[in-house]
Amino acid sequence: MNNKRKFVLIIISIIVLFWLVGFVRKYCIYYNAPDSSYGSAYSGKIYEVIEGEHTAFVIGSKNSVVVERKDRGWKVPAKTYISAESIQNVDGLVIYLARYNSTNEYYVTVSGNGGDELSISDNQNSDFCRVNVEQKGFSSGVQGYFAYVKDVDENYVITINGRDIKLIE
C-alpha cells in the first residue's frame, strides 16, 4: 500500500472513530444526576439545577442546557431539543419561555433587571429561583430568575412585581 492510501485510510479511520465516540456518548451513556450529565459535555461552574418531571435545566457559567431523565439515568445535553415558545421584552426585562420538545416540559427565564430584586409568580404555582451569574463587565454579576413550569397553555400568566403578563397569545 502506498503512502497516499495509508494517509487517506488513517484520516477516514479517525473520522469514523470520532463519529462513533459521539454516537456512544449521545445514545449509550447515562449519568446518575443532571449535573454529572452536564459535566460530561460542558465545563464551568454550575449555578443551579432546576428539576422538572422528566428533565432538568442546568444553569452554568458557560452554558445553560436542559438534560433529560430516561429509565437508565440522565442523558447528555442536546441543545437542539429546545423550542422558544415566547420571548418578550417588558419594562427592561427579557422573559423567555422554552419548551423541551421530547417531553413538552417548560422552563421560564426572567433577566435584565439590573440587580433589583423582583417578586415573580405564575398561575401554575411554579417555584422561581433567583440566580446571580458572574459575567465579565458586571461587577455584581447578572441576575436571573428561573422556574420549571408544569403546564403551559394559552391561559399561562406570569406576574412580575404585581403586573400580569400573558406569554402565549
Side-chain angles (χ1 to χ4, degrees):
M1 194 183 286
N2 66 27
N3 287 340
K4 192 173 189 179
R5 271 193 161 161
K6 284 181 185 178
F7 178 75
V8 169
L9 186 58
I10 290 171
I11 295 298
I12 290 172
S13 298
I14 290 171
I15 290 170
V16 168
L17 181 64
F18 276 109
W19 177 84
L20 186 59
V21 167
F23 177 84
V24 167
R25 191 176 198 197
K26 184 172 182 180
Y27 295 105
C28 302
I29 299 176
Y30 293 85
Y31 298 88
N32 292 331
D35 53 343
S36 298
S37 177
Y38 175 92
S40 73
Y42 301 100
S43 63
K45 180 179 179 180
I46 294 175
Y47 292 110
E48 191 71 40
V49 177
I50 300 168
E51 287 195 40
E53 202 169 319
H54 302 286
T55 60
F57 185 34
V58 183
I59 302 157
S61 60
K62 295 184 180 179
N63 299 85
S64 296
V65 296
V66 175
V67 296
E68 187 174 354
R69 180 185 355 218
K70 298 287 193 177
D71 291 338
R72 294 174 22 202
W74 292 92
K75 192 173 161 185
V76 172
K79 291 182 185 179
T80 57
Y81 299 130
I82 301 288
S83 296
E85 297 296 309
S86 176
I87 301 172
Q88 293 190 24
N89 291 301
V90 178
D91 296 334
L93 300 172
V94 177
I95 307 165
Y96 178 72
L97 178 66
R99 178 174 60 91
Y100 188 76
N101 295 340
S102 66
T103 63
N104 281 325
E105 292 185 303
Y106 294 84
Y107 291 90
V108 65
T109 300
V110 179
S111 60
N113 65 325
D116 296 332
E117 189 161 346
L118 301 174
S119 171
I120 303 178
S121 61
D122 66 9
N123 61 348
Q124 298 296 317
N125 294 318
S126 302
D127 184 22
F128 284 84
C129 176
R130 181 181 178 190
V131 178
N132 194 43
V133 178
E134 299 166 7
Q135 288 210 336
K136 292 179 182 173
F138 294 89
S139 59
S140 62
V142 176
Q143 179 176 273
Y145 292 81
F146 305 88
Y148 162 71
V149 184
K150 186 168 179 74
D151 188 30
V152 172
D153 60 17
E154 65 277 353
N155 297 314
Y156 179 70
V157 173
I158 186 171
T159 304
I160 303 174
N161 291 341
R163 180 178 176 186
D164 290 342
I165 302 161
K166 191 170 183 177
L167 294 184
I168 305 292
E169 297 293 330

